Structures are given as C-alpha cells and as structure tokens.
Amino acid sequence: MEDLEALAQGDGDVLETLTQMTVDTMERSGLDPETYMLVRLAALVTLDASETSYLLNLGVAEKFGVPLEKVRGTLVAIAPVVGTARIVSGAAKMGMALT
C-alpha cells in the first residue's frame, strides 16, 4: 500500500523505475521515440488515465524532444475515435501535470 501511495504522490524513486520500464519497452517496440511517446499518450487518453501517468509520460516525451504541437495533433487524430469527453479530460490532466 505504501508504494501505491508514493506513486500517487509522484515519488521520485517509483517514477524513475517506471521511466526505466518505459525506455526498455520503447526499444522492444521498434518505434522511434517520438512515435512511441505519442502512442503512449494516446493510450492514456483512451484510458482516462491519472494526472500522475501523464506527468511520467510527458516527462519522458520532453526528454525525447517531442514537441507539444505533436501532442496536440495526436489529440486531434484520436478525437473521432475516443470522443470529446476523453479528449477534454486528457488535455486537462496533461495541463495539470505540466504545471
């Protein structure tokens, strides 16, 4: 339970572990870093993920130099599939994660 609470509060050690898992998965996917992170962000929107999930993934995306314009473009691309409610929720949570 303690680990879950730490993750929910953005604990650095837990987030670093998750970041390392992300990097390993990226290499196995065969996708370039930008595409990989945009796909992950699209999946988070689809799942209506938590702000912490966005924080982690946006941090990795920033390290890889993924421009916010591409993130916005990804939201536009998936909007017809996932719907307005998911896009608004995802965009709001991304905004909160970035502040």
Side-chain angles (χ1 to χ4, degrees):
M1 184 66 122
E2 188 176 301
D3 286 341
L4 293 176
E5 290 175 14
L7 177 59
Q9 295 174 6
D11 178 81
D13 292 337
V14 175
L15 291 177
E16 179 61 28
T17 299
L18 292 174
T19 299
Q20 291 305 314
M21 289 170 45
T22 299
V23 172
D24 293 341
T25 305
M26 183 186 68
E27 291 171 358
R28 289 191 307 266
S29 76
L31 298 172
D32 64 88
E34 182 177 283
T35 302
Y36 180 80
M37 292 313 302
L38 293 173
V39 168
R40 286 181 63 93
L41 290 168
L44 292 176
V45 171
T46 301
L47 296 170
D48 198 23
S50 70
E51 184 180 326
T52 304
S53 295
Y54 287 108
L55 177 64
L56 171 69
N57 285 276
L58 287 168
V60 174
E62 183 179 44
K63 287 181 184 178
F64 288 131
V66 178
L68 284 177
E69 293 78 26
K70 294 274 183 121
V71 173
R72 285 188 205 106
T74 299
L75 295 177
V76 169
I78 66 171
V81 178
V82 301
T84 305
R86 291 280 196 228
I87 297 299
V88 171
S89 177
K93 289 175 183 175
M94 284 185 207
M96 287 184 275
L98 291 172
T99 58

